[in-house]
């Protein structure tokens, strides 16, 4: 569905130009903790944006502001063109928060029925149970669920109202690999159905696997924004792994080498370009073995960006 107020933006990497949620010049302090420092951030209709950052970066604060659960100290928050606390806005949004607390004594289906009653056009119960993989747990009390099953119930509650805009704050924390993959599939399905999703995560693999666009947040500032590929290309690094008799100190002297780590019997070398380094390595150590060259993942990109925080602070 399309925003009630048609705001548009030219943000690169966005799947469509219609802005459904926006933070403009937002600062938020908790006492003397500066959680957000003048950030600008938009979510566009139909896209899946991952807000990626380490513990304490400010991700949950962004989500709570967009839900109207917190008020900013400075700046403006707009969701569907209005204040997030407007009832018309609230019925179009769903949220799965990290510390989602619901009564322990209600059964899974009772929770879903209760949450569904807040929305004008909720999804059928069976559809919600299936999407969250809860069919067999429908009659289990929330208090008797495992951690992962609770997470899935909170996901069910976030989608049961069939919201246009969904906030998922660290949705796969505590899920095993199978449950995480299943949830990813459901999240992808929501986006295919035209829903807009803002996901926070510190699973770099998760942002890479799901997001149309990634915003990297660190110390209350957005330090990079783009597609996962664009974020990776900002560091465009290569990882060279090999077993060599050359010392770590001598490897660090090779022109173009950014970092060298000893990893058991092998060394791992990070560099912008692999080929010149590999040529030098083979020339200096003809007995070098176990050579592997891979592209730097989102993890390296993220670390490089956050280590470079001072220079990159600020955003669109
Ligand atoms: P995590 O990945 O650990 O959940 P986050 O990126 O979601 O972290 P936030 O929860 O937004 O980070 O917190 C941002 C900063 O604000 C942190 O330094 C946090 O300690 C602080 N903070 C958050 N809530 C409060 C609060 N109620 N009182 C004081 N400080 C707070």
């Amino acid at each position: 569905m399309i925003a009630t107020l048609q705001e548009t933006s030219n943000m690169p990497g966005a799947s469509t130009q219609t802005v459904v949620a926006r933070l403009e010049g937002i600062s938020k302090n908790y006492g003397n903790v500066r959680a957000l420092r003048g950030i600008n951030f938009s979510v566009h209709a139909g896209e899946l944006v991952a807000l990626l950052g380490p513990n304490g970066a400010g991700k949950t604060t962004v989500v709570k502001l967009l839900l109207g659960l917190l008020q900013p100290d400075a700046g403006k928050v707009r969701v569907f063109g209005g204040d997030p606390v407007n009832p018309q806005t609230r019925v179009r949004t769903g949220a799965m928060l990290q510390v989602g607390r619901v009564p322990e004594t209600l059964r899974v289906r009772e929770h879903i029925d209760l949450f569904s009653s807040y929305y004008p056009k909720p999804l059928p119960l069976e559809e919600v149970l299936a999407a969250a993989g809860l069919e067999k747990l429908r009659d289990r009390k929330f208090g008797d669920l495992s951690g992962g099953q609770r997470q899935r119930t909170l996901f069910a509650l976030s989608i049961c109202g069939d919201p246009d805009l969904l906030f998922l704050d660290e949705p796969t924390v505590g899920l095993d690999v199978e449950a995480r993959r299943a949830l990813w599939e459901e999240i992808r399905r929501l986006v295919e159905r035209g829903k807009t999703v803002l996901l926070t995560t510190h699973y770099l693999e998760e942002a890479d696997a799901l997001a149309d666009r990634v915003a990297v947040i660190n110390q209350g500032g957005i330090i990079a924004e783009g597609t996962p590929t664009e974020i990776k290309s900002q560091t465009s690094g290569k990882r060279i792994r090999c077993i060599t008799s050359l010392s770590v100190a001598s490897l660090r002297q090779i022109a173009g080498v950014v970092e060298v780590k000893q990893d058991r019997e092998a060394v791992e070398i990070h560099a912008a370009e692999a080929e010149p380094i590999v040529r030098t390595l083979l020339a200096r150590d003809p007995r070098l073995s176990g050579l592997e060259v891979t592209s730097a993942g989102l993890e390296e990109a993220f670390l490089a960006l956050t280590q470079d925080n001072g220079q990159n602070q600020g955003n669109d």
Side-chain angles (χ1 to χ4, degrees), residues 136-198:
K136 291 186 183 146
L137 296 168
R138 68 176 69 208
D139 293 318
R140 180 103 32 108
K141 286 183 186 147
F142 188 80
D144 295 338
L145 296 173
S146 72
Q149 292 165 345
R150 285 174 184 229
Q151 281 288 96
R152 285 191 272 140
T153 305
L154 296 176
F155 175 72
L157 301 183
S158 75
I159 61 165
C160 68
D162 199 20
D164 297 323
L165 173 61
L166 188 62
F167 298 104
L168 301 173
D169 195 8
E170 306 267 0
T172 59
V173 164
L175 296 187
D176 61 28
V177 175
E178 199 185 335
R180 179 174 301 173
R181 301 265 162 190
L183 192 59
W184 286 4
E185 274 312 302
E186 281 313 316
I187 295 170
R188 286 197 189 101
R189 212 162 289 158
L190 288 164
V191 178
E192 276 163 21
R193 285 176 50 217
K195 307 298 184 184
T196 306
V197 179
L198 172 64

Side-chain angles (χ1 to χ4, degrees), residues 30-31 33-35 53-62 64 98 169-170 200 202 217:
Y30 300 100
V33 177
R34 294 184 67 197
N55 287 135
K59 303 180 296 293
T60 301
T61 304
V62 166
K64 286 186 172 171
Q98 275 183 61
D169 195 8
E170 306 267 0
T200 78
H202 43 230
I217 184 168

Side-chain angles (χ1 to χ4, degrees), residues 215-247:
V216 182
I217 184 168
N218 194 38
Q219 296 180 14
I222 291 179
I223 57 169
E225 217 166 336
T227 62
T229 310
E230 283 167 349
I231 297 287
K232 280 187 276 184
S233 75
Q234 290 194 20
T235 56
S236 68
K238 297 282 179 191
R239 198 172 15 203
I240 304 156
R241 198 180 155 83
C242 61
I243 298 169
T244 174
S245 55
L246 299 170
S247 70

Side-chain angles (χ1 to χ4, degrees), residues 17-310:
Q17 304 302 301
T18 308
V19 174
V20 294
R22 183 195 289 285
L23 297 182
E24 271 177 50
I26 291 291
S27 294
K28 177 70 191 171
N29 301 326
Y30 300 100
N32 56 8
V33 177
R34 294 184 67 197
L36 295 177
R37 304 158 183 250
I39 73 162
N40 297 306
F41 176 64
S42 300
V43 181
H44 302 77
E47 70 173 346
L48 194 156
V49 185
L51 197 55
L52 175 66
N55 287 135
K59 303 180 296 293
T60 301
T61 304
V62 166
V63 171
K64 286 186 172 171
L65 285 161
L66 288 168
L67 284 167
L69 298 174
L70 288 176
Q71 291 302 313
D73 295 317
K76 202 162 93 174
V77 183
R78 281 284 171 269
V79 179
F80 294 118
D83 193 311
V85 296
N86 288 344
Q88 319 81 288
T89 304
R90 299 188 78 143
V91 294
R92 297 184 65 187
T93 58
M96 176 176 174
L97 296 178
Q98 275 183 61
V99 279
R101 282 181 207 276
V102 293
E104 304 261 312
T105 49
L106 285 188
R107 295 172 199 284
V108 167
R109 65 177 157 73
E110 291 169 335
H111 275 302
I112 296 172
D113 285 342
L114 182 64
F115 267 67
S116 295
S117 71
Y118 304 146
Y119 289 89
K121 287 184 193 156
L123 294 172
L125 174 67
E126 294 306 321
E127 203 176 307
V128 178
L129 289 168
L134 291 168
E135 296 100 320
K136 291 186 183 146
L137 296 168
R138 68 176 69 208
D139 293 318
R140 180 103 32 108
K141 286 183 186 147
F142 188 80
D144 295 338
L145 296 173
S146 72
Q149 292 165 345
R150 285 174 184 229
Q151 281 288 96
R152 285 191 272 140
T153 305
L154 296 176
F155 175 72
L157 301 183
S158 75
I159 61 165
C160 68
D162 199 20
D164 297 323
L165 173 61
L166 188 62
F167 298 104
L168 301 173
D169 195 8
E170 306 267 0
T172 59
V173 164
L175 296 187
D176 61 28
V177 175
E178 199 185 335
R180 179 174 301 173
R181 301 265 162 190
L183 192 59
W184 286 4
E185 274 312 302
E186 281 313 316
I187 295 170
R188 286 197 189 101
R189 212 162 289 158
L190 288 164
V191 178
E192 276 163 21
R193 285 176 50 217
K195 307 298 184 184
T196 306
V197 179
L198 172 64
L199 168 100
T200 78
T201 185
H202 43 230
Y203 289 121
L204 307 147
E205 185 201 357
E206 187 159 282
D208 204 7
L210 288 177
D212 300 307
R213 191 158 60 86
V214 179
V216 182
I217 184 168
N218 194 38
Q219 296 180 14
I222 291 179
I223 57 169
E225 217 166 336
T227 62
T229 310
E230 283 167 349
I231 297 287
K232 280 187 276 184
S233 75
Q234 290 194 20
T235 56
S236 68
K238 297 282 179 191
R239 198 172 15 203
I240 304 156
R241 198 180 155 83
C242 61
I243 298 169
T244 174
S245 55
L246 299 170
S247 70
V248 168
S250 71
L251 293 171
R252 288 203 175 109
Q253 302 297 316
I254 298 173
V257 167
V258 176
E259 196 195 347
V260 182
K261 277 189 294 193
Q262 187 80 45
D263 182 14
R264 286 157 295 166
E265 79 284 6
V267 285
E268 213 172 86
I269 301 167
H270 289 180
E273 301 274 343
E275 291 81 4
I277 312 282
V278 170
R279 272 194 285 272
T280 308
L281 290 173
L282 291 170
R284 291 194 191 168
D285 179 6
R287 298 180 61 193
L288 180 143
S289 62
L291 181 65
E292 281 172 38
V293 178
T294 49
S295 288
L298 198 53
E299 182 137 19
E300 277 89 355
F302 170 70
L303 286 174
L305 287 164
T306 52
Q307 278 161 10
D308 197 20
N309 195 27

